[in-house]
Amino acid sequence: MKRAETKSKNPTGSRMTRDLPGSFVFTKAESGDERTVELSFSSETPYERWYGTEILDHKQDSVDLSRLSEIGTLLFNHNPNAPIGRIVSARIDEAGRRGVATVRFDEDELAERIFQKVKNGSLKGVSVGYRILNMESVKQGATSKDGRFKGPCEVAVRWEPLEISIVSVPADASVGVGRSDEEETGGIEMGEMKQQGLQAEEPQQRSVEPERPEQPKGGSGVPSPQPVDAGEESMRAVQEERTRVSEIMAMCRKYDLSPEGYVEKGTSVEEVRLAALRKLEEERKASQVTVQADEGDKFRAAAADGLAMRAGIVTEKPAEGAENFRGKSMLRLASECLEREGVSGTRDMQDEEIVRAAFTGSGAFPGILSNVAHKSMAQAYQAAPTTFQMWTAKGSNTDFKEVTRYRLSEADELVKMTEAGEFKHAEVTEASVKTVIATYGRSFSITRKAIIDDDMGALSRIPALYGQAARRMINKMAYKVLTDNPVIEGAALFHKDHNNLAAGSISIESLGKAKAMMARQMNIGKKEPLNIQPAYLIVPPELEVEAAQLISSTVDPTKANATPNPFANRLSVVCDPVLTNTEEWYLAAAPGLLPCVEITYLNGREQPTMESQVSFDTLGMRWRIYLDVGVNLIDYRGLLKSTGK
């Protein structure tokens, strides 16, 4: 019961579905392909969920369309085993506050049957499966942060569509449908059954004959027939049948079951409830489904990997056929994309016409370029020569608001009891710091001239440079905490009051004194020493060789009698050119034992986000790269600075 209740109050991360209210208009796409239609799949219409009124925010930056655009699939009745088409493109109509997608129906038997029903108007229901990434709770009488929604409501300020479905039995718009995407191996708990409306009830009793009274003793032993009101009995039977049909139809709408068969065969409400329960369990077990890629997907994957290998990007397990694209220029690739999309006569077209046509509409060429650029950025980000990750901790915030981190001191020692058995009261001391993140970003473009000139450097090198720049930015911010010496707990980070400011050049004697200072650091309550052990010796480049020689030597290099070096291989030397003072050096404890400087990411996403757009202004393609991150000082006790003098 606890698990079910907790889950109902926090829908973030769960897979859900909802239908657009009212009818839908399907229109033929501009491509002329009769199997390609445009439809609306989401809106800001409020939905009543078990946790309150839910609203999907339809601002551009609120909806993550990457999954729909890259691997989006059109399903029938949200069945992952019944794909009937693909998502050609998806966008947010911010003015109309709706999600709009262009889809193409497949040509197999199931897809053809559904497509014809859509054309004939037999099927009009469209539903979207989605996952909420971040939710804003708006209380009664309050308004959302952007002032658009009035409480009480729950606004999905960041959400991700997973698939679009043509549905035969749309959900009740006043109730909505909720599903979980978590993997389950067992059954569904009673608490969750109650939440889903599946809690077992006493089976309904249907009377066929009225009850007959006992005969008095001495009678013939044959009960006398009692008068029966046939009209009343008939009315009761009709009412029971109406109730049964009504409950079955409501349950089938809610859980996407077909009512055909249940009503005609006289199936009881309890049996239909069990069928719904089995369907929920099957959906949980099939939460991870592999959808076979069509020819278009295979082409795009092979072209992207081939182009990436040509640009010198390391590609592990390239897609089948990638070698065939490794020697093709970007212009030839653009021409092939057009031909696959039904554009004929590309051989007679000018180079600029090919590029313009390849960037128009929702073709594969822009997506292939974005795939290559993203791979280049991601690899360069990970390979950037930074050192902050060695001695800093990682953290995660769910939004951009300040988050308070609390730290508790150790508990007081137990004291001997008096004869009267009196307990002495003690309290645990606490301290707190604020953590916050911000967004850092840039935009850049690749022009049509670069594509015509087949400038692979522009496609691979520019994103790589920005990936490295993002990593170096974090590195500078981390070391800036050490050099700026900010205030924490009433004094500068490195201060005599914090007992973490020492002097002396790098030597066994200086390291010994510094190590002792760290070991004697007191807890927050100032009652117990923490016995902190340094793990990293952080130095500027000018001191790297000296530090490495001292730490790797088994004897004290300043002594002639082979005196053992107590620091031999006990510390890891970290050298970074961001440190400009050639005499100062630092000691840091292992971040896993005592985090002091934390790199805080939004929802734990450590890698920059890169998004693309066909640019009208630059006659090419435009990218933007951004990273949500903050560098926050958490504690001073695991850090020590030596002035070197």
Side-chain angles (χ1 to χ4, degrees), residues 87 175 179 215 253 292 296 394 409 447:
I87 312 299
V175 178
R179 290 196 182 97
Q215 294 298 313
R253 283 196 303 270
Q292 295 294 329
K394 293 180 184 178
S409 66
T447 64

Side-chain angles (χ1 to χ4, degrees), residues 211-248:
E211 195 175 298
R212 298 178 178 179
E214 290 185 4
Q215 294 298 313
K217 292 182 179 180
S220 63
V222 179
S224 302
Q226 299 295 316
V228 178
D229 189 340
E232 181 181 347
E233 181 68 17
S234 176
M235 290 280 292
R236 188 186 312 119
V238 169
Q239 183 60 40
E240 288 179 354
E241 179 64 10
R242 286 178 177 174
T243 302
R244 183 185 73 89
V245 172
S246 176
E247 291 185 15
I248 289 176

Side-chain angles (χ1 to χ4, degrees), residues 561-594:
N561 56 356
T563 303
N565 179 7
F567 293 99
N569 300 315
R570 294 285 298 275
L571 300 174
S572 297
V573 177
V574 178
C575 173
D576 201 289
V578 174
L579 297 174
T580 57
N581 190 307
T582 60
E583 295 181 344
E584 295 177 347
W585 50 272
Y586 304 84
L587 289 178
L593 298 177
L594 184 61

Side-chain angles (χ1 to χ4, degrees), residues 91-105:
R91 61 184 175 84
I92 295 299
D93 177 9
E94 195 163 6
R97 302 298 181 187
R98 304 176 80 82
V100 181
T102 299
V103 303
R104 188 185 190 281
F105 286 83

